[in-house]
Amino acid sequence: EFYRLLRARQGPEVPCDPDGYGMAEDSARYLRKICEENAPRRIVEVGTGPGVSHSVLAKWCPQDAVIWSIDHVLEWQEETGKRLLRLGISHPKIQYITAPIVDVLFEGGSVATYDPSAFRDIPGAVDLLLVDGYSRGPMLGVFLDRLSPDATILLDDLRRPSEREAMAAWVSLLTRSGRRFTTAIIPTERMFGEIRLLP
């Protein structure tokens, strides 16, 4: 199968992709750690497709958390929901948003990314913002005013030059906005870029 099971040391299994198209096992474990330690209650995942991260969030974030899952392919979102059912994972507050790809201004140029108007109704106080998938760069700017004071922001796969450029742009944006924060590169196989806001 495309997905194998990530067998955690304790607790149920979640799917993990060994072929390079989804979140690596150690990244999934780190995301689980954030869910268990930080207990985020408003979560936005952008562009994760039919991904492993969604299963981790639905299983290990608090059951009263709200998860907004944004992508541009409806079939991927439908497959994600089916996978949760197959795994026996029930999370009552997942909201799927299908956002078309449009051109937006970013860093002085035009880039194709998810249409921000598709998720304008997501409220503030987002505790965890996980960004993957199509054109990551503009996404922090879209959600900047909706992040909680101590939000965690994760950018998957810093092995790619485009992700490293997005991370640098995010650090510059936060610095210009006057927000206090820390940054880290999490040494998972595909390297998470992590930003934690400071109250």
Side-chain angles (χ1 to χ4, degrees), residues 155-196:
L155 178 63
D156 194 22
D157 206 346
L158 284 191
R159 299 173 307 169
R160 302 172 181 169
S162 60
E163 267 71 4
R164 294 195 294 272
E165 290 170 5
M167 184 75 172
W170 290 5
V171 167
S172 176
L173 173 63
L174 288 168
T175 300
R176 294 194 309 269
S177 71
R179 303 292 291 266
R180 297 175 61 243
F181 61 94
T182 63
T183 64
I185 296 176
I186 309 303
T188 55
E189 178 185 345
R190 298 176 198 166
M191 293 195 296
F192 267 137
E194 179 182 86
I195 298 173
R196 297 201 181 205

Side-chain angles (χ1 to χ4, degrees), residues 4 42 45 53 61-62 64 84 90 110 125 149 154-155 160 197:
R4 68 183 174 87
R42 290 194 176 187
E45 58 168 350
S53 62
C61 282
D64 62 346
L84 293 184
S90 174
S110 178
L154 289 176
L155 178 63
R160 302 172 181 169
L197 298 187

Side-chain angles (χ1 to χ4, degrees), residues 124-128 143-152 179 197:
V126 171
D127 299 311
L128 175 60
F143 286 100
L144 184 61
D145 293 335
R146 286 180 272 182
L147 296 172
S148 67
D150 58 351
T152 298
R179 303 292 291 266
L197 298 187

Side-chain angles (χ1 to χ4, degrees), residues 2-197:
F2 182 76
Y3 284 87
R4 68 183 174 87
L5 291 177
L6 163 63
R7 191 176 295 278
R9 292 181 181 174
Q10 298 177 349
E13 300 165 336
V14 296
C16 193
D17 165 25
D19 300 317
Y21 296 100
M23 185 171 283
E25 179 177 334
D26 53 358
S27 297
R29 285 183 175 165
Y30 186 76
L31 183 59
R32 174 183 175 178
K33 179 173 181 267
I34 287 177
C35 290
E36 293 179 325
E37 292 182 357
N38 296 6
R41 283 182 161 75
R42 290 194 176 187
I43 301 145
V44 174
E45 58 168 350
V46 182
T48 53
V52 175
S53 62
H54 190 75
S55 301
V56 173
L57 293 170
K59 178 62 186 175
W60 282 295
C61 282
Q63 278 293 295
D64 62 346
V66 182
I67 301 170
W68 287 272
S69 183
I70 299 163
D71 216 303
H72 65 293
V73 180
L74 177 61
E75 290 78 9
W76 291 350
Q77 294 175 315
E78 292 172 344
E79 173 57 30
T80 297
K82 291 175 184 176
R83 180 177 298 114
L84 293 184
L85 291 176
R86 290 197 299 269
L87 290 167
I89 298 173
S90 174
H91 197 296
K93 297 182 179 178
I94 298 174
Q95 299 186 25
Y96 295 102
I97 298 173
T98 305
I101 302 299
V102 299
D103 289 330
V104 301
L105 291 176
F106 177 66
E107 296 291 296
S110 178
V111 298
T113 190
Y114 304 102
D115 183 355
S117 69
F119 35 92
R120 62 187 167 210
D121 293 334
I122 296 177
V126 171
D127 299 311
L128 175 60
L129 175 63
L130 171 63
V131 181
D132 195 358
Y134 207 92
S135 192
R136 294 97 170 142
M139 287 299 104
L140 180 60
V142 170
F143 286 100
L144 184 61
D145 293 335
R146 286 180 272 182
L147 296 172
S148 67
D150 58 351
T152 298
I153 304 151
L154 289 176
L155 178 63
D156 194 22
D157 206 346
L158 284 191
R159 299 173 307 169
R160 302 172 181 169
S162 60
E163 267 71 4
R164 294 195 294 272
E165 290 170 5
M167 184 75 172
W170 290 5
V171 167
S172 176
L173 173 63
L174 288 168
T175 300
R176 294 194 309 269
S177 71
R179 303 292 291 266
R180 297 175 61 243
F181 61 94
T182 63
T183 64
I185 296 176
I186 309 303
T188 55
E189 178 185 345
R190 298 176 198 166
M191 293 195 296
F192 267 137
E194 179 182 86
I195 298 173
R196 297 201 181 205
L197 298 187

